[in-house]
Amino acid sequence: MQIENDRYPNPQKQGNFGGCLLTIIMLFLFLGFFPLFNYPSKTEVPYSQFRNQVREGKVGKVIVEENKVEYFLKTDLNKTKKTKSGKFIPPDKAYVTVPLPKDQTLPKLLEDNKVEFGVRPDGGRNWIFTAFGWFIPPFLIFLIVVWFTNRVQSGGGAANPLNAGKSKARVYFGQTDGKVTFADVAGIDEAKAELQEIIDFLKNPDRYTQLGAKIPKGVLLVGPPGTGKTLLAKAVAGEAEVPFINVSGSEFMEMFVGVGAARVRDLFEQAKQLSPCIVFIDELDALGKSRGGSGVFASSNEEREQTLDQMLTQMDGFEANAGIIIIAATNRPEILDKALLRPGRFDRQVVVDRPDKLGRLAVLQVHTQAIKLEENIDLSVIAGRTPGFAGADLANLVNEAALLAARNHREAVTLADFNEALERVVAGLEKKSRILNQVEKKIVAYHECGHAIVGALMSGQVEKISIVPRGVGALGYTLQLPEEDRFLMLESEVRGRITTLLGGRSAEEVVFGQVSTGASDDIQKATDLAEQAVTMYGMSQNLGPIALEKAQSSFLDGSPNSRRPVSSVVAAAIDREVREMIHNAHQQAILILKANRDLLEEMAEYLLEQEVLEGDVLYSYLNRVQAP
Ligand code: ADP
Ligand code: ZN
């Protein structure tokens, strides 16, 4: 089979499939259309002529087929040499003829004339046709499939369609891939305690199975981004010394219905092979969104439903004590399908919240282990200045500080580096390139001093004023850092905050008699806060403690809430209350600034010169602020 061997594509040489395919097709057509190639060349003769030639003794060898007779003349046969093995080699020239149907006289005629005759064993068809008939078409189809697959892969970057149903999970084996343990997770002790049981089970399953106790199959970690949910799950695997299979909920979602479900199946197959193990599904909400929600694309909804169904089926499918524990993470537990939270599925929920001050100190300690710190540095100062920071934010802060120290060619990271890093994180990068003209600078200086003076009176925690532009929008900023974590805000504090926010604009009014565009962000924030006070916290006397807004996720700050259906009368009342709250705050800010007009001038002048006002100088100014 020489020809086939030559043409067989080398699977490694993927680039040539197209060309190869073409050649094969050409060859195929060529062979099909040109019977001449079907050697040896055959001449067709009438049957009567054949019989005459036999009688004349010219015919040397006859091959009888079903409805055709092929024969060679003695003269031609004499020209070919026999091979050593005595195998018959047909001469170049052959003749064919079509016998009369059921001609019984032919054998006798041949025998009488002593002609060698027989039947061709393989049905008489040229092997090359048999080969092409049976072998080439499936081969061609195979080639086409491979070629297209190839094109899809190299072209759009889309995944190989033959692999679509494979899960994209990444597997970590703690021993080889860098072990994460509970020592690497800090500041979320309650969550750690809750997961201790899981580790114990994975380590000593017998103790539990003996008693007939069932370990939860699924644990849901709930908390804001960056609080260490992934880290925690990995640490559980590390502590229990089992493999860690990591996959994100969004990786199950594809355009085609059924692909996600296939991936879920594949994931669980993988888990069964690796058990005991931890399967970690990040962003569970991506696939576990409650069903029947509004969806623009029907198909994407259907895909999600199928994927979710498959997930539920698979979770129900394995034994409680099979050694597979699924840990999922989400920051939006309220949108999860209720079916996911039923017993036997994710029935255990662990809250992973942002750390408190001690927790933050612990996280800082973990992340500064590999960093050269200045001696006697007090990390608790930084912990105190970073309320609301999640573990990931703190890790980022430490890295920023280290980068700053390195840039300044310092031997070790100092507290000043941390403070600078903190400002960067809070207010964005310092933008030296944006140069304010003198008028702008003056406006910004008075604006910021206005915030500071009002803020000092309202809450007393101004840290720093700067008119060095930072970030995308801020031309100047007044840094207020709380001393401690706050979980509640008194009504007076809410009002004070609104007043402080309006302090900047009020200063512009008091000093210049007109306002600039620089206060838009303040106004936005003040209005949001006032609206929340009225519609969520019931701080309006007239409307009272009625919830006018539907509370949403407590973990995603900044997500817009939706108004409850209210009558137009109530809507008008809300607007009036909000406006009144803002108006009052504005009036109060103006009063305060008028009462401290001289101080405002002094501070602004200093700020214009120095650009930054902080520390003792700032406090000496702010101590002089008087209530109106
Ligand atoms: P999540 O999964 O909750 O979004 P990650 O686990 O991905 O958060 O956290 C990202 C990184 O932040 C971690 O790799 C780790 O370096 C750091 N980190 C977050 N939380 C903590 C913590 N509690 N203790 C130590 N490091 C943390
Ligand atoms: Zn402002």
Side-chain angles (χ1 to χ4, degrees):
M1 289 255 211
Q2 279 306 311
I3 292 178
E4 276 74 12
N5 275 340
D6 283 342
R7 298 294 166 202
Y8 215 94
N10 174 3
Q12 303 315 118
K13 282 163 88 185
Q14 299 185 329
N16 281 332
F17 275 136
C20 194
L21 189 69
L22 217 66
T23 319
I24 299 256
I25 290 173
M26 296 276 284
L27 190 67
F28 189 43
L29 292 179
F30 180 76
L31 288 175
F33 281 120
F34 294 89
L36 284 177
F37 191 73
N38 200 359
Y39 61 85
S41 67
K42 289 173 186 170
T43 318
E44 253 186 66
V45 292
Y47 189 49
S48 56
Q49 190 187 334
F50 162 65
R51 290 183 73 110
N52 280 337
Q53 284 177 324
V54 172
R55 274 188 222 106
E56 287 162 13
K58 287 183 182 166
V59 176
K61 188 178 167 82
V62 173
I63 299 168
V64 184
E65 289 174 24
E66 208 173 330
N67 42 25
K68 134 180 150 188
V69 172
E70 193 176 323
Y71 68 98
F72 309 101
L73 295 181
K74 275 180 183 158
T75 46
D76 293 328
L77 281 172
N78 288 337
K79 283 185 210 150
T80 62
K81 298 164 223 117
K82 296 239 167 176
T83 54
K84 275 174 233 144
S85 59
K87 215 177 139 204
F88 171 70
I89 298 178
D92 292 342
K93 229 165 171 200
Y95 299 85
V96 273
T97 180
V98 180
L100 294 178
K102 303 212 175 79
D103 182 4
Q104 304 292 346
T105 63
L106 182 60
K108 186 163 191 312
L109 177 74
L110 292 174
E111 254 171 17
D112 289 352
N113 289 286
K114 299 200 169 57
V115 180
E116 189 187 341
F117 72 98
V119 177
R120 182 165 282 169
D122 59 353
R125 285 197 47 178
N126 198 314
W127 61 267
I128 211 160
F129 271 115
T130 319
F132 273 111
W134 289 101
F135 174 67
I136 295 297
F139 179 66
L140 276 183
I141 291 168
F142 168 77
L143 267 188
I144 289 169
V145 168
V146 172
W147 188 47
F148 269 95
T149 313
N150 236 37
R151 259 171 51 121
V152 169
Q153 258 182 342
S154 56
N160 183 346
L162 300 175
N163 276 337
K166 288 257 178 288
S167 95
K168 296 180 181 170
R170 296 160 294 279
V171 184
Y172 299 96
F173 298 93
Q175 291 77 4
T176 47
D177 298 336
K179 189 167 160 182
V180 176
T181 66
F182 267 9
D184 299 310
V185 188
I188 39 178
D189 295 334
E190 292 104 350
K192 269 158 86 171
E194 290 246 23
L195 291 172
Q196 194 64 51
E197 186 184 88
I198 305 263
I199 296 171
D200 200 37
F201 166 76
L202 287 170
K203 272 186 163 167
N204 315 300
D206 295 345
R207 191 147 41 127
Y208 291 80
T209 45
Q210 236 172 25
L211 291 170
K214 284 206 177 91
I215 274 293
K217 291 178 191 173
V219 180
L220 185 62
L221 301 180
V222 177
T227 44
K229 298 182 290 297
T230 312
L231 192 68
L232 196 60
K234 223 174 192 176
V236 171
E239 289 283 333
E241 298 185 325
V242 298
F244 178 74
I245 305 177
N246 186 356
V247 67
S248 171
S250 56
E251 284 166 12
F252 290 110
M253 307 318 292
E254 284 284 344
M255 211 158 57
F256 304 106
V257 175
V259 172
R263 284 192 186 149
V264 171
R265 232 173 294 132
D266 192 61
L267 174 68
F268 277 82
E269 277 309 312
Q270 208 177 356
K272 273 173 203 159
Q273 272 158 24
L274 290 172
S275 105
C277 64
I278 300 274
V279 177
F280 179 69
I281 304 175
D282 208 354
E283 302 175 54
L284 183 67
D285 41 280
L287 75 92
K289 233 178 248 169
S290 71
R291 285 170 283 194
S294 63
V296 186
F297 304 106
S299 81
S300 93
N301 250 0
E302 181 152 330
E303 158 70 347
R304 186 164 57 229
E305 255 169 56
Q306 282 205 9
T307 310
L308 179 56
D309 278 341
Q310 186 60 234
M311 183 90 197
L312 298 175
T313 314
Q314 291 287 345
M315 280 195 85
D316 293 341
F318 69 85
E319 292 287 308
N321 290 344
I324 302 172
I325 289 178
I326 302 160
I327 302 182
T330 181
N331 46 28
R332 306 163 77 188
E334 69 286 340
I335 67 162
L336 286 184
D337 199 289
K338 293 287 169 286
L340 270 173
L341 309 177
R342 248 181 251 142
R345 293 162 186 170
F346 293 105
D347 46 7
R348 184 76 60 98
Q349 293 182 27
V350 177
V351 174
V352 185
D353 216 341
R354 296 196 179 92
D356 57 8
K357 187 172 166 189
L358 278 180
R360 290 196 297 274
L361 179 59
V363 177
L364 284 171
Q365 275 159 352
V366 166
H367 283 280
T368 50
Q369 261 166 15
I371 282 180
K372 223 167 147 198
L373 291 179
E374 179 191 39
E375 254 175 70
N376 302 329
I377 194 169
D378 190 2
L379 288 176
S380 65
V381 174
I382 300 146
R385 301 187 69 185
T386 47
F389 273 47
D393 303 326
L394 291 168
N396 181 32
L397 178 69
V398 170
N399 190 48
E400 282 285 329
L403 288 176
L404 277 172
R407 198 169 310 152
N408 295 326
H409 303 288
R410 268 197 268 282
E411 292 282 286
V413 184
T414 65
L415 199 57
D417 291 322
F418 275 102
N419 281 332
E420 170 73 22
L422 184 57
E423 263 179 62
R424 274 173 183 241
V425 174
V426 172
L429 283 179
E430 206 165 294
K431 275 225 169 69
K432 293 263 189 255
S433 57
R434 187 182 317 187
I435 297 172
L436 299 179
N437 69 30
Q438 280 308 309
V439 180
E440 285 171 331
K441 220 168 162 181
K442 204 168 161 188
I443 294 173
V444 174
Y446 278 100
H447 179 107
E448 297 305 330
C449 290
H451 280 309
I453 289 173
V454 177
L457 211 55
M458 291 292 144
S459 53
Q461 10 158 289
V462 180
E463 289 263 335
K464 178 175 180 175
I465 315 173
S466 159
I467 53 171
V468 180
R470 266 182 196 273
V472 202
L475 297 178
Y477 61 94
T478 305
L479 203 61
Q480 286 184 295
L481 290 172
E483 305 272 279
E484 58 203 38
D485 297 344
R486 295 301 305 267
F487 302 102
L488 287 176
M489 248 174 130
L490 295 175
E491 188 185 338
S492 59
E493 286 173 310
V494 174
R495 289 179 189 273
R497 176 110 187 85
I498 298 174
T499 313
T500 309
L501 280 167
L502 294 174
R505 176 200 151 98
S506 304
E508 293 179 35
E509 276 174 75
V510 169
V511 176
F512 304 106
Q514 60 174 343
V515 293
S516 72
T517 54
S520 67
D521 193 46
D522 296 335
I523 294 172
Q524 197 79 39
K525 281 187 189 145
T527 313
D528 283 348
L529 197 55
E531 185 173 345
Q532 280 172 14
V534 173
T535 59
M536 288 176 74
Y537 308 132
M539 286 176 178
S540 136
Q541 286 294 328
N542 292 331
L543 286 166
I546 294 176
L548 297 164
E549 228 151 79
K550 289 200 177 101
Q552 285 194 344
S553 164
S554 48
F555 292 111
L556 277 187
D557 19 24
S559 69
N561 286 358
S562 59
R563 210 37 91 71
R564 276 171 195 273
V566 290
S567 70
S568 58
V569 181
V570 177
I574 293 173
D575 292 344
R576 200 169 45 240
E577 289 293 311
V578 171
R579 214 172 326 132
E580 200 177 298
M581 204 175 242
I582 300 275
H583 179 75
N584 289 346
H586 186 203
Q587 290 308 315
Q588 199 187 359
I590 287 183
L591 277 184
I592 294 172
L593 290 171
K594 281 191 172 151
N596 295 284
R597 181 67 199 261
D598 294 341
L599 183 65
L600 179 61
E601 296 286 347
E602 242 179 273
M603 272 174 77
E605 245 159 64
Y606 183 92
L607 191 57
L608 269 174
E609 221 160 85
Q610 303 291 325
E611 295 202 330
V612 180
L613 186 47
E614 63 185 333
D616 290 340
V617 189
L618 177 62
Y619 297 137
S620 71
Y621 278 122
L622 292 182
N623 279 336
R624 289 163 47 200
V625 176
Q626 285 166 359

